[in-house]
Amino acid sequence: MTTAPRTRRRSDGSPSARTLLLTVLGEYVGYAGRDRVWSAAVVDALKACGVEETAARRAITRLTHEGWLETEPAGRFTVLVMRPRLVRLLHSWTARLRRAMEEELPWEGTWQQLLLRIPAAARTERTAVEEQLAFQGFGALGQGVWIAADPGGVGALRELVAELGLAGHATWLTCRAGGAGADAALAAQAWDLSAVAPLHVDFLARFGGAVVPPAGGWSDEEAFVLRTRLVHAWRLTFERDPRLPDVLLPEGWPGREATALFVRAWRSCHEAADRWWERLDRDPRGAGAGVAARA
């Protein structure tokens, strides 16, 4: 049974070792189509982001004990292997990230609709599904009815519902509300955008200067830290923002500017960040071949 790992923040508001570990695995391992990585590379990556080594190793141990990771010995070193359910989860995060970076296409007024009647005894399964529905841009209309304007997450959600044994309780439909006014009313019923807007305002405040490199440019390590924190912060907005079509958003919606900022900043630092990660992920035994190349 799949329940997404919790991604809590520390009491001071900064990312925890656990959340940054998931971001590193998703952005530099899963994003590259791999499922294994040197443990030492992950620890060093987290240290660059301000996480102490003991906290980084504790986060790895927790995900291993919970069944998200496995470890394989390689001499005196350790390889982390992502379990299939973590691979699927991180792929869904990456797909959501990619969709956010794409230029928006005109919306034709078709809603994705899910009718889901989860048995009362399946409380854990309910939590897992509802978390992923929200992450994939679905909003609740009540009484087990969910809608989304973005069809991109339907495939991943179908897989999750089937994996949890709930396929027989789910009905997938498409529908049209009947015009701009009806669409806007439906969106207002499913989402409280006034609670989402501050997330984008905060993102703009935190990363507004990220598209302007310091004199002399970023070092590869600085680019890695920037990209990691950028993706981490952006991913967390997906937990609340349904990414509605522009026609359904209020005038002056800060998500437009935040999305443009994210795309510019990510593109400005991703190549240098990759260079630094490739150096981290070299075979620590001195063989000259990264573990992912042998996977």
Side-chain angles (χ1 to χ4, degrees), residues 23 27 55 65 69 72 84 100 107 116 135 147 161 165-166 170 173 185 210 224 240 252-253 258 267:
T23 297
E27 182 69 2
H65 286 169
L69 292 172
E72 291 182 357
W107 185 58
L116 186 62
F135 182 79
I147 63 167
V161 168
L166 299 174
L173 305 168
F224 175 85
R240 299 285 301 279
W253 178 245
R267 288 175 175 169

Side-chain angles (χ1 to χ4, degrees), residues 31-260:
Y31 189 77
R34 303 169 181 171
D35 66 354
R36 55 189 60 213
V37 61
W38 291 106
S39 177
V42 172
V43 170
D44 287 344
L46 294 180
K47 285 171 63 177
C49 294
V51 177
E52 295 182 357
E53 180 175 345
T54 54
R57 295 193 181 279
R58 188 163 55 245
I60 291 171
T61 299
R62 287 182 63 189
L63 289 185
T64 302
H65 286 169
E66 293 170 4
W68 295 98
L69 292 172
E70 294 179 348
T71 58
E72 291 182 357
R76 60 189 182 89
F77 298 97
T78 301
V79 175
L80 302 179
V81 182
M82 297 191 296
R83 298 285 299 275
R85 61 178 183 154
L86 181 56
V87 172
R88 290 195 297 270
L89 177 68
L90 295 180
H91 280 179
S92 74
W93 287 356
T94 299
R96 190 81 162 96
L97 178 70
R98 285 172 172 165
R99 296 204 305 275
M101 294 179 69
E102 293 173 354
E103 184 176 351
E104 184 180 329
L105 298 174
W107 185 58
E108 298 180 352
T110 300
W111 293 94
Q112 307 300 310
Q113 186 175 20
L114 170 62
L115 309 180
L116 186 62
R117 298 290 190 267
I118 301 178
R123 294 181 180 178
T124 303
E125 289 82 356
R126 178 187 300 275
T127 299
V129 172
E130 290 182 351
E131 286 179 350
Q132 286 304 299
L133 280 166
F135 182 79
Q136 295 291 356
F138 277 73
L141 294 178
Q143 300 299 317
V145 180
W146 296 77
I147 63 167
D150 176 12
V154 171
L157 287 166
R158 281 181 179 270
E159 291 181 4
L160 175 62
V161 168
E163 182 181 336
L164 296 177
L166 299 174
H169 302 277
T171 301
W172 297 89
L173 305 168
T174 58
C175 64
R176 300 178 71 88
D183 286 327
L186 196 62
Q189 183 179 348
W191 296 281
D192 179 8
L193 293 181
S194 66
V196 178
L199 298 175
H200 292 300
V201 173
D202 178 67
F203 183 87
L204 288 165
R206 291 176 60 193
F207 295 100
V211 293
V212 182
W218 292 301
S219 68
D220 289 352
E221 181 177 356
E222 288 171 334
F224 175 85
V225 173
L226 171 60
R227 177 175 160 188
T228 302
R229 293 195 176 277
L230 184 78
V231 169
H232 180 78
W234 191 243
R235 177 175 59 77
L236 292 180
T237 68
F238 293 160
E239 296 177 358
R240 299 285 301 279
D241 190 339
R243 308 289 160 174
L244 293 175
D246 197 67
V247 68
L248 297 178
L249 294 172
E251 186 176 353
W253 178 245
R256 299 185 182 97
E257 185 180 354
T259 299

Side-chain angles (χ1 to χ4, degrees), residues 6-25:
R6 297 294 181 182
T7 53
R8 298 191 180 107
R9 300 172 75 84
R10 296 188 304 205
S11 59
D12 64 357
S14 60
S16 69
R18 182 190 185 84
T19 64
L20 281 174
L21 170 57
L22 290 168
T23 297
V24 168
L25 291 175

